[in-house]
């Protein structure tokens, strides 16, 4: 008789432990889902910020070179070798911009896929889309910096 009671208690606790294992699996699955969601969002945020920073740094570098050449125009420091150096820098910058733009386009495409495939909240989607718009504006800023550099380079060449 005693063994029968102990056996029933054992099966009762066994069934409780199996139920708690199911709860633990559900809890772990939920935590894993939350971690994956957070990782996806942080990945998108990081990639967009990195691309934006790369473009801004490049834009600022091109603007500095443009201003350096413009100062040479103001002080009438015209030198063919100096012009050749700035021309090579300009040509390399245009090539680098094409590469940077391709990289940014790929990043935006990956982010668009993540936005479509992930369950981001409307606020998260809005923030990421705002960052994409900001990145597109930064690309236009880089294009303007390169155009300005090209104009200054043309002025320098004519005055040489």
């Amino acid at each position: 008789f005693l063994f029968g009671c102990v056996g029933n208690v054992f099966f009762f606790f066994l069934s409780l432990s199996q139920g708690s294992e199911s709860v633990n699996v559900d809890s772990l699955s939920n935590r894993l889902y939350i971690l994956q969601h957070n990782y996806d969002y942080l990945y998108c945020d990081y990639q967009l910020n990195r691309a934006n920073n790369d473009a801004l740094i490049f834009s600022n570098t091109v603007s500095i070179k443009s201003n350096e050449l413009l100062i040479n125009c103001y002080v009438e420091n015209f030198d063919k070798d100096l012009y050749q150096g700035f021309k090579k820098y300009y040509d390399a910058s245009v090539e680098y911009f094409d590469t940077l733009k391709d990289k940014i386009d790929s990043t935006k495409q990956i982010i668009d896929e993540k936005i479509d495939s992930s369950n981001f909240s409307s606020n998260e989607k809005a923030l990421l889309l705002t960052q994409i718009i900001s990145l597109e504006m930064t690309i236009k800023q880089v294009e303007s910096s390169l155009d300005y550099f090209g104009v200054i380079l043309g002025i320098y060449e004519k005055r040489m």
Side-chain angles (χ1 to χ4, degrees):
F1 174 74
L2 184 61
F3 179 71
C5 289
V6 172
N8 287 339
V9 171
F10 174 74
F11 286 114
F12 173 74
F13 283 117
L14 181 63
S15 67
L16 281 179
S17 70
Q18 288 174 347
S20 69
E21 285 177 12
S22 174
V23 170
N24 282 340
V25 169
D26 290 342
S27 176
L28 289 174
S29 294
N30 189 35
R31 287 182 185 172
L32 181 61
Y33 173 79
I34 290 169
L35 286 172
Q36 184 64 47
H37 173 85
N38 290 343
Y39 172 79
D40 288 343
Y41 178 78
L42 290 173
Y43 173 82
C44 293
D45 182 61
Y46 170 77
Q47 292 297 330
L48 288 170
N49 281 325
R50 192 189 75 188
N52 197 32
N53 286 337
D54 289 348
L56 280 172
I57 288 169
F58 179 61
S59 177
N60 290 337
T61 303
V62 169
S63 293
I64 289 168
K65 283 292 184 184
S66 300
N67 291 336
E68 183 181 343
L69 186 59
L70 187 60
I71 289 170
N72 281 305
C73 286
Y74 286 142
V75 297
E76 296 184 3
N77 180 19
F78 300 108
D79 181 24
K80 189 152 183 92
D81 291 335
L82 185 63
Y83 169 76
Q84 291 299 324
F86 277 104
K87 177 72 172 135
K88 286 180 183 178
Y89 182 84
Y90 174 77
D91 293 340
S93 294
V94 170
E95 286 181 31
Y96 177 74
F97 176 66
D98 291 339
T99 303
L100 181 65
K101 195 171 177 183
D102 289 342
K103 181 181 170 185
I104 288 172
D105 288 341
S106 297
T107 299
K108 287 181 359 186
Q109 185 177 7
I110 290 169
I111 301 304
D112 285 340
E113 292 292 325
K114 283 277 190 192
I115 289 172
D116 292 340
S117 66
S118 296
N119 292 327
F120 292 136
S121 69
S122 58
N123 288 339
E124 290 169 330
K125 286 180 182 179
L127 286 170
L128 292 174
L129 293 174
T130 301
Q131 286 179 296
I132 290 172
I133 292 168
S134 175
L135 183 56
E136 290 169 353
M137 291 171 55
T138 303
I139 291 170
K140 289 180 181 177
Q141 180 182 342
V142 173
E143 288 173 338
S144 295
S145 296
L146 283 171
D147 290 344
Y148 178 70
F149 191 22
V151 168
I152 300 300
L153 196 60
I155 291 170
Y156 188 88
E157 182 183 31
K158 287 179 184 175
R159 295 189 65 193
M160 206 169 35

